[in-house]
Amino acid sequence: MTEAQSTKSVAYSMEHEAVYAVTAYNSQNENLPKREKSRNNDSYFTKVARGNPIGLPTGTHCQEYLAEWQCNIFQQDALQTKKSDEQQCLEMRTPHLMEFWPTLFEWPVFSHILKHGFAWLTFGGGISSTLFLFIMGGTESVKQAAPHIAPLLLFCLSIWLLLKTITRGSPKLKKDTRFFRRTGMVSIYRKGQDRLEIPFEEFEPTMTYRTGAAGSTGFMLQLTHRQSDIVISHINDYPEEYQVYLEWERLHQFMDISQPLPDRIVTEPARQFDPVTAEYDRKTGRPKHLWRDMGREELRERREAAKKAAKDFPWGKTRAQALASGWKPSEQRIDWKALEATRQET
């Protein structure tokens, strides 16, 4: 199939309700494989590579996806475009159909990381160094240092602009791991071979601990295959365990066709194209562009409340158990009267 034909096929799936395959993952299926607690016959190094099992109850319970570290006002800005929802979905690799985990060892991913790094050096470094010099020696100190700092900042700015130009649009990845909601399959890259497809239900979520060069510890989500030694690692590591649990919960909900898509800012345009999600939004009355049209102050309030709720969630319990123990979801942590007063002032 050519790229043009593939684009037409995706566009057609957006306009017509697609049918979920019989292999699609459904957490309500009573015949799902039971989770493993351990594999006693594994060697020490195999156990280390596989990581520690995440002992969470099946399903999604916290659901505070606004607490994800990448959710921010910049994602909201990206939604406020003249492009149609269909076009935005195509540029995001149709997020109602596929979730993907990239790998660092691929140029499109590495170039995006470099772009963000040079952006920080250009703007963050420029502002912080100027403030430091001003505090230490005033305006005269800034003037004296400017001829030495300016060339470096201009170099960083040039590299950032170049990377920003060449990384426009969706990255064309080949080595990524792909999760398909409508088929329930996980597609794994293999060098020199066709991609390997394995049912999502055959994987177990595990967590590994990573120690950086400076001694800081990070936590990483992995998926380990029950019947083989295949281990898939998420590209990000997180400073706190609850962030790994939330990442797993989001992926699980994405693949589970008994539930709507996770309610995230970046994938909001895609909700209408997933049959289960569209029906859920219709029944609950969720606005089509809830995140896109939300005020900045409310978005910040919701995000801070979501972060606190996710961090406080008693992971390992169901949502009903958490609520019974006194846990409060994010919507109960916001001072809605104060927020309404802020809206009226603006």
Side-chain angles (χ1 to χ4, degrees):
M1 182 182 289
T2 66
E3 185 173 351
Q5 289 173 326
S6 177
T7 301
K8 289 181 180 178
S9 175
V10 171
Y12 180 85
S13 70
M14 290 180 178
E15 296 170 0
H16 300 77
E17 201 172 86
V19 177
Y20 297 103
V22 294
T23 54
Y25 174 75
N26 187 331
S27 64
Q28 305 303 310
N29 183 358
E30 296 180 354
N31 297 320
L32 288 177
K34 293 183 179 180
R35 291 185 174 179
E36 295 182 354
K37 293 184 178 180
S38 63
R39 300 202 323 183
N40 295 326
N41 58 337
D42 283 342
S43 68
Y44 169 78
F45 294 104
T46 299
K47 290 181 179 179
V48 171
R50 290 174 66 87
N52 297 321
I54 295 179
L56 299 180
T58 301
T60 54
H61 304 282
C62 178
Q63 302 177 3
E64 297 288 352
Y65 303 123
L66 202 59
E68 293 178 313
W69 69 270
Q70 65 267 43
C71 285
N72 49 50
I73 60 175
F74 299 109
Q75 288 190 340
Q76 186 188 44
D77 289 340
L79 297 182
Q80 296 169 345
T81 174
K82 294 181 180 179
K83 295 178 182 178
S84 66
D85 290 339
E86 291 89 344
Q87 184 61 36
Q88 289 186 68
C89 287
L90 289 172
E91 292 181 357
M92 289 189 289
R93 302 179 76 185
T94 57
H96 58 297
L97 302 177
M98 180 183 70
E99 170 84 8
F100 62 94
W101 284 5
T103 173
L104 179 61
F105 305 104
E106 194 166 8
W107 169 245
V109 178
F110 188 63
S111 60
H112 273 78
I113 295 174
L114 282 177
K115 179 183 69 173
H116 294 304
F118 276 100
W120 185 90
L121 289 173
T122 303
F123 302 104
I127 294 173
S128 59
S129 59
T130 301
L131 287 174
F132 175 77
L133 290 169
F134 181 80
I135 293 172
M136 296 299 294
T139 306
E140 190 62 30
S141 179
V142 175
K143 288 181 179 179
Q144 291 177 358
H148 305 285
I149 297 177
L152 179 60
L153 291 179
L154 286 174
F155 172 76
C156 291
L157 177 62
S158 300
I159 299 298
W160 174 69
L161 289 173
L162 175 63
L163 290 171
K164 185 177 177 63
T165 301
I166 64 178
T167 56
R168 285 182 177 176
S170 177
K172 294 178 173 58
L173 303 177
K174 294 181 179 179
K175 300 179 182 179
D176 57 330
T177 300
R178 301 167 187 175
F179 301 86
F180 294 98
R181 175 174 169 87
R182 293 186 178 175
T183 64
M185 305 300 288
V186 180
S187 176
I188 304 170
Y189 169 81
R190 295 187 297 175
K191 186 176 181 181
Q193 303 180 59
D194 291 336
R195 280 181 163 269
L196 176 66
E197 291 206 345
I198 301 175
F200 178 73
E201 62 190 37
E202 294 183 10
F203 286 94
E204 289 287 340
T206 60
M207 180 170 60
T208 59
Y209 305 88
R210 298 294 177 93
T211 302
S216 60
T217 301
F219 304 93
M220 179 177 289
L221 174 63
Q222 290 189 158
L223 296 183
T224 61
H225 190 234
R226 293 187 183 88
Q227 289 79 34
S228 71
D229 293 329
I230 294 175
V231 178
I232 308 168
S233 298
H234 194 278
I235 192 173
N236 296 328
D237 54 30
Y238 301 96
E240 299 192 58
E241 290 186 48
Y242 84 87
Q243 295 170 305
V244 175
Y245 300 148
L246 192 63
E247 182 70 38
W248 160 247
E249 190 172 89
R250 181 180 64 78
L251 177 65
H252 184 275
Q253 182 169 340
F254 172 81
M255 293 297 288
D256 186 1
I257 63 169
S258 72
Q259 299 187 77
L261 291 170
D263 201 345
R264 307 171 68 211
I265 297 176
V266 67
T267 57
E268 182 174 65
R271 296 183 64 82
Q272 60 191 298
F273 303 123
D274 179 73
V276 169
T277 309
E279 180 65 13
Y280 173 85
D281 288 352
R282 184 188 66 79
K283 288 182 177 179
T284 58
R286 182 196 185 280
K288 183 178 179 181
H289 297 128
L290 172 67
W291 301 121
R292 189 196 71 180
D293 299 336
M294 184 175 292
R296 286 291 177 86
E297 187 61 32
E298 180 174 348
L299 183 61
R300 290 191 187 95
E301 289 286 339
R302 284 178 177 265
R303 175 164 164 70
E304 288 305 311
K307 288 166 66 176
K308 292 177 182 178
K311 192 170 184 177
D312 294 344
F313 189 82
W315 295 95
K317 294 184 178 181
T318 65
R319 188 176 183 86
Q321 291 171 337
L323 292 170
S325 67
W327 175 77
K328 293 183 179 180
S330 57
E331 58 266 22
Q332 295 181 18
R333 297 168 182 254
I334 299 173
D335 188 341
W336 293 105
K337 291 184 178 179
L339 186 59
E340 184 61 33
T342 303
R343 292 174 186 165
Q344 293 174 356
E345 290 175 2
T346 56

